[in-house]
Amino acid sequence: MTETTRARVVEHDRCVVLAAPGVELVLDLADGYPIVRHWGEPLCGAGPDAVRLLATAAVPHSDLDDPVEPGMLRESARGFTGRPALRGHRAGAGFSPLFRLQGVRVDGTTATVSLGDPDAQLELEQRFTMTDQGVLLVDQALTNVGGSVYSVDELATWLPLPARATQTLDFAGRWLRERQPHRLPLAPGLRIREGREGRTGHDSTIVQCAMTSRTTTESGEAWGIAALWSGNTVHLVERDVVGRAALGAGELLEPGEVELAPRQTYTTPTIAVVYSAAGLDGMGECFHRWLRARPEHPRAPRPLTLNVWEAVYFDHDLDTLTRLAERAAAVGVERFVLDDGWFGSRRDDTSGLGDWTVSADAWPGGLGPLVERVKGLGMQFGLWFEGEMVNPDSDLYRAHPDWILHVPGRRPPLARHQLVLDLANPEAYAHVLERVHAIVSSEGVDYIKWDHNRVLTDAGHEGRPAVHAQTAAIYRLFDDLRSRNPGLEIESCASGGGRVDLGMALHADRFWTSDQNDPLERQQIQRWTSLAIPLEMLGSHVGPTVSHTSGRRHSIQMRAVTALFGHAGIEWNLLEATDEELAALRSWADLYKAQRGVLHSGRVVRVDHPDPSALVHGVVADDASSALFAYVQCTTSPGTRPAAFRLPGLTPDARYQVRPVWFGEPGVAQNRGPRWMDDGVVATGAALAAMGLNPPILRPEEAVLVVVTAMPAATDL
């Protein structure tokens, strides 16, 4: 990577400039505290004096006599009347800090700013790291240098927005309908998105965005902020009475959760900050490239996975599962995952959680025969755990009822007949780690599906709030398991699409994107989850013909096309599949294996399409040598001939072979399809981006897949 394409941090005239290709953040320290003068496109060498002058605003009547910019800390002591970055107190005192610069140092692509308030007896260190991919990582550490306890209520990261950022975008939802977009005007006041479930919930926003009125998925400016944290979080957007707007994010702390004794330090979760001048897809590309650059990111081809939950549920039978494994291997499956029900007294969801020993009732001969057959068929073996949970009807709970998160004197309400183990308790943590490790190492487990099927309520440890400690413990547990079992991969699942966040992405290899396997519902869920998480980390499975969650019936084509765009797999009892369906699955598996290199390294494209009844999306290889696009007819088109769909992102003057792919009988309603559907077409990237393709007339809830391959340079059009 050349110097022009790398991140850089420059300090000059009490200004720190953090830059990467396409983004620049100017941090001004001349006034003795951190003020972000600019966050957006590079300023091409504009000096500190010019930036300061350009940022100078008029002073209105009814303002302070000598108003100042609030800076990142947004302190009341400087005249700011909005939500401050730090909220806390020292037995009622020290509630209004006034930090002053103590020093700044630049080391490579990191700038560290040291601040202090001797009256409040606090020191604050802010660390800014600009990655080569344009993701700015912000960490803050607050130290109590006084002689008494300081209570931290909130320490958030805030960044200002330009006036042209007039809209917000965040995500909400529920179980089976996660990460639904909500685009709203950036109105005066404070918009708060809190997550209080003790985990990243189904309704949490994976990233908080701001944008201009013209921003789309493909074009325009977008600013984003996200907490790299899987516990309680807060994401904020504020426009104050002056008209200034800002984005904020941090950990949501319960009262008394962070009480700093003298010389103690609270370190915030890392906050990721992204700017894009290329629409929301540009933002997603920054996140994807950053995650993919990590040494820990999964490198091996993502194995085609069969999970048996919707195939057998709790009905574990060696003969049935062996035949299912044989059929899975025949269609090309590479990883076989045994779900809930293999341990203790776990014949349903009312008992057994916490007793991580192979059930003699369900598996009288142990798991060995199944594992041996699965591996003999050339597949990896995966196993389900829910190690943070315990059923009251379990040997573990009967022996250690005190090992749960709770408030002294009462037991939290049950959810799915279970309680939450207190992993801040060293004994409970050691028990879970040792029991899971024993099963993984003795049974030859290659992969863990780690579930989390309830929210945290009354989440206390020794009478104090414990979500922060619980979150840190699960990160440590995952890291310990992988350290003890080299090559082990872990999927994060939380009732499906909970706990999907950028913090967990640093500790897990895969997410179960949603319990919703209905492909129509999955279209939006996958579309927006991939704004932050790359496709190779998002589990996407072909479900049964009739969805177990929605009751809808979908063709193999619709299900297969939808599941292709992720870490693909199957959640279906293949013993019930017809010969035609099995043949279609084999064809789909072959295509997935041939194309996963592109799907799991290329640029995700969410095409702006004029017809609201259809969705268009794709993945383009980094070198634009190939691509895959899906046209999905969600409902009936308003016109008798649906609108053409574009294939952007290809090299304009390169020639491409374009062909449709079907995995089953086409679900069309037409006399005759467009001619390119017969034998494909060769066209330039410019033509495909400008003119696009006229789709076939599909029935509602159907999809067509298009595979695009660059032609040799000498080929005539």
Side-chain angles (χ1 to χ4, degrees):
M1 188 177 282
T2 65
E3 285 300 312
T4 58
T5 61
R6 294 188 67 91
R8 66 188 188 281
V9 177
V10 178
E11 181 187 3
H12 174 63
D13 191 19
R14 297 175 294 172
C15 240
V16 176
V17 178
L18 301 104
V23 62
E24 187 170 289
L25 186 138
V26 179
L27 186 66
D28 188 3
L29 302 168
D31 290 339
Y33 63 101
I35 302 173
V36 174
R37 297 293 187 187
H38 171 74
W39 171 31
E41 289 192 277
L43 300 181
C44 298
D49 289 340
V51 171
R52 290 171 186 140
L53 283 172
L54 291 171
T56 302
V59 179
H61 295 296
S62 78
D63 205 334
L64 300 175
D65 291 343
D66 189 18
V68 298
E69 286 299 312
M72 293 189 67
L73 299 177
R74 301 156 61 89
E75 294 153 310
S76 175
R78 300 188 194 278
F80 185 67
T81 57
R83 190 182 183 103
L86 173 63
R87 295 189 296 127
H89 64 95
R90 194 184 300 275
F95 67 93
S96 180
L98 181 64
F99 285 98
R100 303 293 298 181
L101 182 68
Q102 294 181 334
V104 59
R105 66 181 185 275
V106 172
D107 181 13
T109 57
T110 298
T112 304
V113 177
S114 299
L115 303 147
D117 180 350
D119 295 325
Q121 299 177 304
L122 297 171
E123 291 181 352
L124 178 64
E125 183 177 274
Q126 295 180 313
R127 189 170 70 251
F128 304 86
T129 301
M130 180 64 80
T131 72
D132 291 340
Q133 300 78 29
V135 178
L136 177 66
L137 303 175
V138 183
D139 298 274
Q140 299 192 83
L142 181 72
T143 301
N144 177 13
V145 295
S148 59
V149 170
Y150 182 81
S151 301
V152 181
D153 295 328
E154 182 173 277
L155 179 52
T157 293
W158 283 89
L159 289 171
L161 294 166
R164 62 187 179 277
T166 58
Q167 296 187 351
T168 68
L169 175 70
D170 53 36
F171 303 90
R174 60 170 175 82
W175 179 59
L176 303 180
R177 206 168 187 269
E178 299 89 345
R179 288 169 292 284
Q180 302 298 304
H182 293 268
R183 186 168 182 164
L184 301 167
L186 205 167
L190 181 65
R191 177 168 171 79
I192 305 175
R193 292 298 314 281
E194 292 184 341
R196 292 183 173 273
E197 293 187 8
R199 62 175 188 187
T200 314
H202 299 81
D203 68 331
S204 67
T205 183
I206 198 165
V207 58
Q208 178 68 58
C209 305
M211 51 198 168
T212 73
S213 61
R214 296 183 178 182
T215 301
T216 69
T217 56
E218 293 184 63
S219 64
E221 291 183 288
W223 298 259
I225 191 167
L228 274 61
W229 191 242
S230 305
N232 290 339
T233 58
V234 59
H235 289 83
L236 307 138
V237 187
E238 184 176 55
R239 185 179 295 281
D240 66 16
V241 68
V242 177
R244 298 168 297 202
L247 289 177
E251 181 179 13
L252 190 155
L253 298 172
E254 294 289 357
E257 189 162 9
V258 175
E259 299 276 308
L260 296 181
R263 307 310 308 179
Q264 269 194 327
T265 298
Y266 166 61
T267 301
T268 65
T270 299
I271 304 299
V273 177
V274 170
Y275 166 78
S276 165
L280 295 171
D281 285 356
M283 178 184 293
E285 184 179 4
C286 289
F287 282 129
H288 295 182
R289 291 175 58 237
W290 165 60
L291 288 171
R292 286 168 174 167
R294 298 173 302 123
E296 306 84 6
H297 193 72
R299 305 287 175 203
R302 300 293 78 210
L304 187 67
T305 299
L306 174 76
N307 190 79
V308 305
W309 176 242
E310 289 194 10
V312 300
Y313 291 103
F314 288 105
D315 187 12
H316 286 203
D317 172 75
L318 176 60
D319 178 65
T320 299
L321 287 165
T322 298
R323 289 189 293 114
L324 186 56
E326 291 167 349
R327 182 156 286 190
V331 300
V333 168
E334 300 164 300
R335 175 184 283 164
F336 182 95
V337 181
L338 183 64
D339 212 287
D340 194 0
W342 57 268
F343 54 91
S345 60
R346 189 75 165 178
R347 306 288 78 76
D348 55 31
D349 65 357
T350 64
S351 71
L353 269 182
D355 300 336
W356 301 113
T357 56
V358 179
S359 169
D361 294 332
W363 294 93
L367 294 178
L370 178 64
V371 176
E372 182 179 356
R373 184 59 180 142
V374 165
K375 297 202 170 189
L377 291 165
M379 296 184 290
Q380 298 177 8
F381 181 72
L383 199 57
W384 182 94
F385 289 90
E386 194 174 2
E388 296 155 88
M389 304 295 163
V390 63
N391 286 128
D393 184 6
S394 68
D395 293 340
L396 177 63
Y397 184 79
R398 284 184 281 272
H400 300 285
D402 56 318
W403 279 10
I404 62 168
L405 289 173
H406 70 290
V407 170
R410 63 177 184 246
R411 193 178 80 173
L414 294 176
R416 207 186 176 193
H417 313 289
Q418 62 195 50
L419 299 164
V420 185
L421 287 173
D422 178 6
L423 295 185
N425 180 324
E427 292 180 289
Y429 179 93
H431 171 84
V432 174
L433 175 62
E434 296 302 330
R435 290 309 311 148
V436 175
H437 167 65
I439 292 291
V440 168
S441 58
S442 65
E443 301 291 350
V445 175
D446 303 296
Y447 173 84
I448 286 176
K449 177 183 177 182
W450 188 280
D451 218 334
H452 186 295
N453 276 311
R454 65 155 296 163
V455 301
L456 274 57
T457 56
D458 259 9
H461 169 76
E462 297 180 350
R464 301 184 63 83
V467 171
H468 179 93
Q470 185 81 357
T471 306
I474 191 58
Y475 288 161
R476 187 170 71 254
L477 183 67
F478 280 7
D479 294 345
D480 284 349
L481 283 170
R482 295 205 293 185
S483 175
R484 290 190 181 197
N485 301 276
L488 178 71
E489 292 194 1
I490 299 176
E491 175 185 87
S492 174
C493 174
S495 302
R499 203 153 69 179
V500 177
D501 59 77
L502 287 164
M504 185 55 75
L506 305 182
H507 300 274
D509 303 282
R510 187 186 201 247
F511 292 100
W512 183 224
T513 314
S514 176
D515 277 346
Q516 180 65 269
N517 282 320
D518 179 313
L520 181 64
E521 299 287 345
R522 268 280 184 153
Q523 284 291 325
Q524 288 282 6
I525 295 170
Q526 293 177 187
R527 185 180 184 89
W528 294 113
T529 306
S530 64
L531 181 63
I533 309 297
L535 299 189
E536 63 270 26
M537 298 186 75
L538 298 178
S540 53
H541 291 185
V542 176
T545 305
V546 177
S547 170
H548 289 197
T549 51
S550 71
R552 290 194 187 103
R553 177 181 295 271
H554 287 109
S555 69
I556 187 69
Q557 171 75 6
M558 177 67 171
R559 289 178 283 148
V561 170
T562 302
L564 186 69
F565 289 87
H567 180 175
I570 300 169
E571 194 97 7
W572 180 15
N573 186 354
L574 296 181
L575 299 177
E576 298 175 351
T578 66
D579 290 343
E580 292 78 11
E581 289 171 328
L582 293 173
L585 279 180
R586 280 191 291 271
S587 174
W588 170 75
D590 290 343
L591 183 79
Y592 170 73
K593 293 173 186 178
Q595 298 290 344
R596 59 186 163 192
V598 174
L599 289 165
H600 298 161
S601 67
R603 292 181 292 110
V604 174
V605 180
R606 299 167 190 85
V607 182
D608 296 324
H609 188 60
D611 183 352
S613 72
L615 288 174
V616 183
H617 61 89
V619 179
V620 180
D622 275 343
D623 62 0
S625 62
S626 62
L628 294 94
F629 284 86
Y631 174 90
V632 184
Q633 193 68 58
C634 300
T635 61
T636 55
S637 176
T640 57
R641 296 181 182 179
F645 64 98
R646 298 176 301 108
L647 279 60
L650 303 168
T651 303
D653 59 353
R655 293 174 170 83
Y656 293 90
Q657 172 72 46
V658 181
R659 61 184 178 88
V661 175
W662 300 99
F663 301 113
E665 188 67 26
V668 297
Q670 60 190 13
N671 289 330
R672 185 176 65 251
R675 289 178 57 190
W676 72 270
M677 296 288 295
D678 298 331
D679 300 307
V681 65
V682 175
T684 62
L688 293 169
M691 296 180 64
L693 301 170
N694 281 301
I697 302 172
L698 297 176
R699 295 191 181 98
E701 302 177 26
E702 273 292 0
V704 61
L705 179 71
V706 176
V707 177
V708 183
T709 307
M711 301 290 288
T715 300
D716 292 330
L717 183 64

